[in-house]
């Protein structure tokens, strides 16, 4: 183990308030849950300022339950736990698909959804799925808890609205039956960071109408919604006519504002965003 890890102090609080108090009092602390991303960064010297790790594994953040018209997913739930949960499987296929594409099986048994979202990476696999499901983030802090819509949670790459002393306690999703999928494009079928990702979710809105939500990952400084494409698909019978789907594909490409980097070019990413929408729509011929 390298010297950075040797010099870090570990804390194991007994409850959430104690964890928040530690986060508030320690200027260079980080939360340790699954550790699949954090430990790698520490070993590689990416986070040299971290002096304390707060282990939250004993805080009972790994539960999934329906409460008050919401499905509540604890931030400590692992990807495999979510993928295999019957409550999630019966309601949110886009989320099941997304968490099932995070790394390899060993990683999914350790990686937590709180860590995946808390990293605030535009390429985080669970984020587009959660955003397409209109999820909210429940934050616990020294002054109590507050709930923030996931769409308002991110301020940029690696940045969120979390305040000093706050941690992600859970995610809340409206308790309804949906259909959907999550698709991503990467260098390989597994173990790859997304070049582009897309989540599509649809549900019955009553009176013969449907709601459609489309979220795009890795094509902007943060995960975004493709609002114009959503409106086009909501206004049509399902499956949409060819010309409507083509317009929605174009709208998705226009919504994407990617950059060139070592993993891909912005031109490729914009085009693939549209390709993924077309594939997603065609994978749901009987969305309602």
């Amino acid at each position: 183990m390298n010297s950075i890890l040797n010099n870090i102090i570990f804390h194991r609080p007994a409850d959430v308030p104690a964890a928040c108090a530690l986060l508030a009092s320690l200027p260079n602390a980080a939360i340790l849950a699954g550790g699949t991303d954090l430990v790698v960064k520490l070993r590689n010297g990416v986070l040299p300022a971290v002096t304390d790790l707060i282990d939250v594994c004993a805080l009972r953040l790994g539960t999934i339950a329906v409460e008050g018209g919401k499905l509540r997913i604890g931030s400590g739930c692992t990807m495999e736990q979510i993928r295999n949960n019957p409550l999630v499987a019966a309601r949110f296929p886009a989320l099941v698909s997304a968490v099932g594409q995070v790394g390899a099986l060993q990683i999914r048994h350790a990686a937590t959804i709180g860590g995946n979202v808390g990293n605030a990476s535009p390429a985080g696999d669970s984020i587009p799925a959660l955003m397409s499901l209109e999820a909210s983030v429940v934050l616990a802090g020294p002054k109590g808890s507050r709930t923030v819509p996931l769409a308002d949670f991110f301020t940029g790459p690696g940045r969120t609205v979390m305040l000093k002393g706050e941690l992600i306690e859970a995610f809340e999703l409206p308790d309804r039956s949906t259909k959907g999928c999550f698709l991503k494009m990467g260098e390989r079928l597994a173990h790859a960071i997304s070049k582009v990702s897309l989540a599509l979710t649809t549900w019955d809105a009553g009176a013969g109408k449907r709601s459609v939500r489309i979220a795009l990952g890795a094509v902007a400084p943060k995960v975004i919604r493709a609002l114009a494409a959503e409106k086009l698909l909501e206004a049509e019978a399902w499956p949409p006519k060819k010309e409507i789907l083509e317009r929605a594909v174009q709208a998705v490409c226009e919504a994407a504002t990617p950059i060139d980097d070592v993993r891909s070019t912005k031109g490729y990413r914009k085009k693939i965003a549209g390709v993924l929408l077309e594939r997603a729509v065609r994978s749901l011929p009987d969305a309602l």
Side-chain angles (χ1 to χ4, degrees), residues 9-56:
I9 300 173
F10 286 79
H11 307 264
R12 194 174 176 84
D15 53 32
V16 170
C20 294
L22 283 169
L23 284 170
S25 64
L26 299 170
N28 298 307
I31 294 174
L32 175 65
T36 56
D37 186 62
L38 176 64
V39 172
V40 173
K41 288 181 178 179
L42 290 171
R43 285 183 179 277
N44 292 337
V46 177
L47 300 173
V50 173
T51 58
D52 297 80
L53 289 180
I54 301 173
D55 184 349
V56 297

Side-chain angles (χ1 to χ4, degrees), residues 34-229:
T36 56
D37 186 62
L38 176 64
V39 172
V40 173
K41 288 181 178 179
L42 290 171
R43 285 183 179 277
N44 292 337
V46 177
L47 300 173
V50 173
T51 58
D52 297 80
L53 289 180
I54 301 173
D55 184 349
V56 297
C57 294
L59 303 188
R60 298 183 180 179
L61 299 176
T63 60
I64 300 175
V66 176
E67 301 176 2
K70 305 279 188 180
L71 182 72
R72 184 180 174 97
I73 300 176
S75 62
C77 291
T78 67
M79 300 302 176
E80 275 298 289
Q81 181 183 352
I82 295 169
R83 189 175 75 90
N84 294 314
N85 184 273
L87 294 175
V88 178
R91 294 161 172 80
F92 309 129
L95 182 57
V96 172
S97 176
V99 298
Q101 296 183 57
V102 176
L105 180 63
Q106 297 95 324
I107 292 175
R108 293 196 297 272
H109 273 289
T112 65
I113 193 165
N116 194 245
V117 174
N119 281 339
S121 167
D125 286 336
S126 69
I127 300 172
L130 288 169
M131 193 171 290
S132 76
L133 292 164
E134 298 187 332
S136 294
V137 186
V138 181
L139 299 173
K143 297 182 179 180
S145 65
R146 63 187 179 116
T147 302
V148 180
L150 185 64
D152 300 329
F153 182 67
F154 306 102
T155 59
R159 301 194 303 274
T160 73
V161 300
M162 291 178 66
L163 303 175
K164 183 66 175 176
E166 287 187 326
L167 59 80
I168 300 175
E169 188 171 11
F171 301 92
E172 291 182 341
L173 293 73
D175 183 21
R176 57 192 169 207
S177 176
T178 70
K179 294 189 177 182
C181 63
F182 170 82
L183 302 173
K184 74 176 186 178
M185 184 70 69
E187 289 290 345
R188 304 176 299 278
L189 293 177
H191 303 277
I193 299 174
S194 298
K195 292 183 177 182
V196 185
S197 62
L198 179 144
L200 169 66
T201 294
T202 179
W203 63 87
D204 186 350
K209 298 182 180 180
R210 82 177 44 77
S211 292
V212 176
R213 299 292 182 267
I214 302 164
L216 300 169
V219 296
K222 55 184 181 179
V223 174
I224 60 171
R225 289 259 304 276
L227 300 176

Side-chain angles (χ1 to χ4, degrees), residues 206-274:
K209 298 182 180 180
R210 82 177 44 77
S211 292
V212 176
R213 299 292 182 267
I214 302 164
L216 300 169
V219 296
K222 55 184 181 179
V223 174
I224 60 171
R225 289 259 304 276
L227 300 176
E230 292 174 358
K231 291 180 179 179
L232 284 166
L233 295 177
E234 284 181 337
E236 283 294 306
W238 198 281
K241 297 177 182 177
K242 180 181 178 182
E243 56 269 28
I244 296 300
L245 179 55
E246 289 175 350
R247 288 173 59 191
V249 166
Q250 182 61 33
V252 162
C253 294
E254 292 172 356
T257 57
I259 61 172
D260 293 323
D261 62 19
V262 296
R263 291 186 291 114
S264 191
T265 65
K266 60 184 179 182
Y268 177 82
R269 285 186 164 117
K270 285 179 75 72
K271 181 176 181 179
I272 291 301

